[in-house]
């Protein structure tokens, strides 16, 4: 009996020891598995909260611009215009618009929205101004538009010169008008392309692979491409050629009585520098007296100075012959004939050809001192390298000396109203945007002004301050002065002050920085407590 009891006691002991060993192995494996999963799992402290609002498309986005929806009754001078003339110009632009298929090649605010009004206009053969006005009011919405921080837009004028020339070089006609050279290279374009871009890099091919910048104006005037058979015709002087290049087209009256029509085809890749601005900066011609006629007079009186002045503008334009008669108007960048008094050149990087703009103000049409009321619906059908900005336009006045006199004295601030197709109505589309969070009360905002540390760092560098906030931060007189300055339209505004008047008037010593989003703190897994049991042997 004693032996049996001892054997039974020993077997229970072995079983208890085996169970303890098995428990230790299982717990060790579980700990190791948990450690491996924690190493390979994504960190839990990453910010995983969704953004407060969905990423929705804004109603209308025009870079560097501000716009205000208007009622037609609030568009000053709208009822005084000849809407039928504008309607005819608009229908001319609709021909290439209707031929477009698919999405536009370049992303712009209006996109392909003009196709709907053009489709409607195709079926309407209107004969009265009242009907034409009704068409625009039913298919468009007016928006007053200007550059951000400014109250008005800016206009200049252009025309088509009529010059004397010759097909052959003579003692009188010795200034060549060049066609596009075969070694001129623009990325993404071929020699078969008609009308290369008027901005961007242009190269000259050397051999098969080497590309270098193309010749500038001085090198070309000195004969860099002479004798290669590129001469279309010959003019009397370099001043005639310069103004032809600025205007982009010309009518050349040849010795045999025929007329040669030339149009822009390419440029040499250098940015355009206005010679008038150079004369103003040098104090030669006062800014208030600047005009195309003043520039021409000074160049004729100072031939040596004219040569140096021309070369300040390193840009050079090449032309092509176009099969147009004397009765045909010049063709704009859209590829349609321009309409005097109704066609404008705009910034093609922002606007779509065919867009109607209502431009209002006073211009010196009758004489240099006159203030002729100008309230006219214009159609965007052309562009130019100096036309930059959302409310910047070059008004086309036709061909000849009279048109040149009018366009040469235009450098004026005007009100711009862009007509946007109703499919892009920003008011209707704006109603679909989510309402933002309620702002704190004025008292709380005054006691605890929140600032963005990133913007504070940028504000410490005057060169990096955005110029578009100047007019809003400064006084209204400063904004009016900037809007009335013609040179300010083509030049960048001055740097903004480091702090705004609102920040200076705040009755606090130190602004409170914006709180940083608190990350999710990973919670440590609760440690399981294992009960330690002591196994006693039976005595």
């Amino acid at each position: 009996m004693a032996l049996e009891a001892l054997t039974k006691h020993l077997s229970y002991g072995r079983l208890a020891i085996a169970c303890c060993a098995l428990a230790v192995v299982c717990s060790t494996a579980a700990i190791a598995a948990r450690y491996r999963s924690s190493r390979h799992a994504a960190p839990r402290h990453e910010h995983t909260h969704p953004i407060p609002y969905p990423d929705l498309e804004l109603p209308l986005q025009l870079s560097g611009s501000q716009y205000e929806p208007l009622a037609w009754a609030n568009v000053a001078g709208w009822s005084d215009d000849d809407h039928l003339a504008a309607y005819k110009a608009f229908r001319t632009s609709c021909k290439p618009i209707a031929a477009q298929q698919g999405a536009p090649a370049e992303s712009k605010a209006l996109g392909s929205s003009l196709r709907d009004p053009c489709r409607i206009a195709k079926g309407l053969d209107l004969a009265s101004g009242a009907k034409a006005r009704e068409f625009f009011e039913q298919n468009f919405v007016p928006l007053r538009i200007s550059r951000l921080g400014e109250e008005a837009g800016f206009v200049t004028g252009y025309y088509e010169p009529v010059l004397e020339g010759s097909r052959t070089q003579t003692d009188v006609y010795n200034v060549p008008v060049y066609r596009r050279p075969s070694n001129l290279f623009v990325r993404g374009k071929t020699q078969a392309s008609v009308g290369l871009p008027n901005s961007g890099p242009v190269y000259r091919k050397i051999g098969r692979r080497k590309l270098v910048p193309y010749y500038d104006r001085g090198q070309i005037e000195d004969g860099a491409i002479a004798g290669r058979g590129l001469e279309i015709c010959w003019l009397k002087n370099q001043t005639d050629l310069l103004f032809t290049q600025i205007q982009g087209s010309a009518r050349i009256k040849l010795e045999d009585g025929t007329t040669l029509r030339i149009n822009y085809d390419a440029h040499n890749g250098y940015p355009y520098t206005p010679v008038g601005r150079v004369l103003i900066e040098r104090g030669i011609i006062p800014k208030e007296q600047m005009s195309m006629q003043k520039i021409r007079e000074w160049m004729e009186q100072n031939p040596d100075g004219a040569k140096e002045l021309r070369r300040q503008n390193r840009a050079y334009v090449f032309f092509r012959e176009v099969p147009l008669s004397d009765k045909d108007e010049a063709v704009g960048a859209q590829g349609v004939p321009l309409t005097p008094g109704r066609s404008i050149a705009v910034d093609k990087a922002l606007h779509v050809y065919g867009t109607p703009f209502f431009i209002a103000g006073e211009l010196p049409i009758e004489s240099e001192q006159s203030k002729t009321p100008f309230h006219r619906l214009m159609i965007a059908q052309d562009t130019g390298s100096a036309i930059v900005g959302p409310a910047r336009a070059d008004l086309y006045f036709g061909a000849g000396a009279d048109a040149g006199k009018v366009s040469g004295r235009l450098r004026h601030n005007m009100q711009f109203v862009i007509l946007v197709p109703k499919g892009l109505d920003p008011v209707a589309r704006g109603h679909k945007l989510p309402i933002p969070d309620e702002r704190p009360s004025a008292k709380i905002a005054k006691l605890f002004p929140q600032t963005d540390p990133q913007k504070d760092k940028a504000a410490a560098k005057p060169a990096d301050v955005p110029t578009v906030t100047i007019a809003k931060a400064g006084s209204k007189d400063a904004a009016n002065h900037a809007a009335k300055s013609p040179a300010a339209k083509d030049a960048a505004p001055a740097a903004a002050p480091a702090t705004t008047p609102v920040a200076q008037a705040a009755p606090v010593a130190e602004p409170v920085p914006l709180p940083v989003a608190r990350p999710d703190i990973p919670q440590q897994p609760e440690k399981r407590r294992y009960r330690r049991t002591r196994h006693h042997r039976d005595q």
Side-chain angles (χ1 to χ4, degrees):
M1 288 295 292
L3 184 59
E4 259 180 47
L6 180 59
T7 304
K8 186 176 181 181
H9 179 73
L10 290 175
S11 63
Y12 285 150
R14 292 193 189 96
L15 182 60
I17 292 172
C19 292
C20 290
L22 182 60
V24 171
V25 171
C26 293
S27 61
T28 304
I31 294 173
R34 188 180 299 112
Y35 173 73
R36 284 194 300 270
S37 63
S38 65
R39 286 185 61 188
H40 296 287
R44 296 184 56 190
H45 61 275
E46 289 185 354
H47 184 70
T48 57
H49 294 299
I51 58 177
Y53 300 108
D55 186 13
L56 297 178
E57 181 184 359
L58 295 178
L60 187 66
Q61 300 181 69
L62 279 166
S63 177
S65 70
Q66 59 188 21
Y67 60 82
E68 174 190 2
L70 298 174
W72 288 110
N74 296 333
V75 180
W78 172 252
S79 59
D80 301 330
D81 191 23
D82 181 4
H83 297 89
L84 183 60
Y87 176 76
K88 293 179 179 178
F90 176 73
R91 287 192 71 183
T92 302
S93 283
C94 283
K95 295 178 182 178
I97 292 175
Q100 297 173 356
Q101 300 292 334
E106 299 179 4
S107 176
K108 299 177 184 177
L110 262 61
S112 60
S113 61
L114 287 174
R115 296 177 187 176
D116 290 339
C118 282
R119 186 180 65 254
I120 297 173
K122 184 178 180 180
L124 297 177
D125 189 11
L126 304 181
S128 67
K131 291 292 184 181
R133 174 182 173 180
E134 184 180 351
F135 165 81
F136 287 113
E137 293 180 353
Q138 288 182 351
N139 294 281
F140 294 89
V141 292
L143 306 178
R144 181 185 290 117
I145 187 172
S146 63
R147 184 178 289 179
L148 194 61
E150 298 177 357
E151 296 183 354
F154 185 71
V155 301
T156 50
Y158 73 114
Y159 72 111
E160 187 178 20
V162 179
L163 306 171
E164 295 181 354
S166 173
R167 283 284 191 181
T168 58
Q169 184 179 10
T170 65
D171 293 339
V172 176
Y173 303 103
N174 55 13
V175 176
V177 178
Y178 289 120
R179 61 174 49 89
R180 187 202 313 173
S182 59
N183 64 343
L184 186 144
F185 177 75
V186 178
R187 296 187 186 276
K189 302 290 183 178
T190 65
Q191 281 295 323
S193 301
V194 177
L196 297 184
N198 62 357
S199 61
V202 176
Y203 303 97
R204 174 167 55 94
K205 278 189 176 182
I206 299 178
R208 292 178 121 186
R209 297 184 179 179
K210 188 174 182 180
L211 296 176
V212 297
Y214 207 80
Y215 301 115
D216 66 1
R217 176 177 294 276
Q219 294 172 313
I220 295 175
E221 286 187 1
D222 291 340
I225 60 175
R228 295 176 50 187
L230 299 173
E231 296 83 1
I232 298 176
C233 63
W234 303 80
L235 302 179
K236 287 184 177 181
N237 54 63
Q238 291 285 356
T239 302
D240 285 344
L241 176 61
L242 174 65
F243 282 101
T244 300
Q245 292 175 328
I246 293 174
Q247 303 306 318
S249 64
R251 305 184 184 199
I252 313 298
K253 298 293 184 179
L254 301 176
E255 293 177 307
D256 59 2
T258 60
T259 301
L260 171 66
R261 305 290 296 273
I262 59 175
N263 208 356
Y264 170 92
D265 192 37
H267 78 126
N268 64 338
Y270 292 90
Y272 169 73
T273 301
V275 294
R277 184 188 303 171
V278 178
L279 292 174
I280 293 174
E281 293 173 351
R282 294 178 178 179
I284 297 175
I285 300 178
K287 182 171 61 175
E288 58 274 9
Q289 299 180 12
M290 177 56 63
S291 68
M292 195 180 305
Q293 287 71 31
K294 293 289 185 181
I295 298 174
R296 182 179 287 274
E297 291 174 3
W298 186 88
M299 285 185 164
E300 291 175 354
Q301 298 170 4
N302 302 271
D304 293 336
K307 180 179 179 180
E308 186 273 336
L309 178 64
R310 286 194 312 270
R311 298 187 179 207
Q312 294 296 314
N313 175 29
R314 303 179 69 187
Y316 197 91
V317 171
F318 303 98
F319 294 92
R320 70 177 185 272
E321 295 185 48
V322 289
L324 297 175
S325 67
D326 286 343
K327 298 180 180 180
D328 297 324
E329 289 293 338
V331 176
Q334 191 187 11
V336 300
L338 301 177
T339 302
R342 291 294 170 179
S343 298
I344 58 174
V346 296
D347 187 349
K348 68 173 184 177
L350 299 176
H351 298 301
V352 177
Y353 292 137
T355 302
F357 286 85
F358 188 75
I359 299 177
E362 294 180 340
L363 294 176
I365 302 295
E366 305 298 332
S367 65
E368 293 186 5
Q369 290 76 29
S370 65
K371 295 183 178 180
T372 306
F374 189 93
H375 305 93
R376 197 171 295 181
L377 185 58
M378 314 288 284
I379 309 299
Q381 297 175 331
D382 206 356
T383 189
S385 58
I387 312 302
V388 179
R392 174 73 172 91
D394 217 7
L395 314 183
Y396 178 69
F397 284 93
D402 292 338
K405 290 180 181 179
V406 175
S407 61
R409 53 179 177 247
L410 297 191
R411 291 182 62 84
H412 292 72
N413 297 315
M414 302 285 280
Q415 294 294 327
F416 277 64
V417 175
I418 181 174
L419 271 58
V420 177
K422 281 195 172 180
L424 294 181
D425 185 356
V427 176
R429 298 181 69 190
H431 288 318
K432 301 178 181 179
L433 293 177
I435 300 176
D437 291 337
E438 184 179 357
R439 300 183 65 180
S441 65
K443 181 177 180 181
I444 296 299
K446 187 175 181 180
L447 292 176
F448 302 98
Q450 295 185 346
T451 60
D452 191 340
Q454 298 298 329
K455 291 184 179 179
D456 291 342
K457 293 180 182 179
K461 302 177 182 179
D464 295 336
V465 176
T467 59
V468 295
T469 60
I470 296 173
K472 296 299 182 183
S475 64
K476 185 176 181 181
D477 293 337
N480 291 337
H481 176 73
K484 294 177 181 178
S485 174
K489 302 301 174 178
D490 297 323
T499 57
T500 64
V502 176
Q504 293 173 354
V508 291
E510 293 293 336
V512 181
L514 288 172
V516 180
R518 184 172 60 183
D520 292 339
I521 300 176
Q523 297 181 356
Q524 298 293 336
E526 184 181 355
K527 294 183 179 180
R528 294 184 60 183
R529 298 191 177 187
Y530 298 95
R531 249 181 113 181
R532 304 175 96 186
T533 56
R534 184 176 295 171
H535 300 277
H536 298 279
R537 291 186 181 182
D538 294 336
Q539 298 296 330

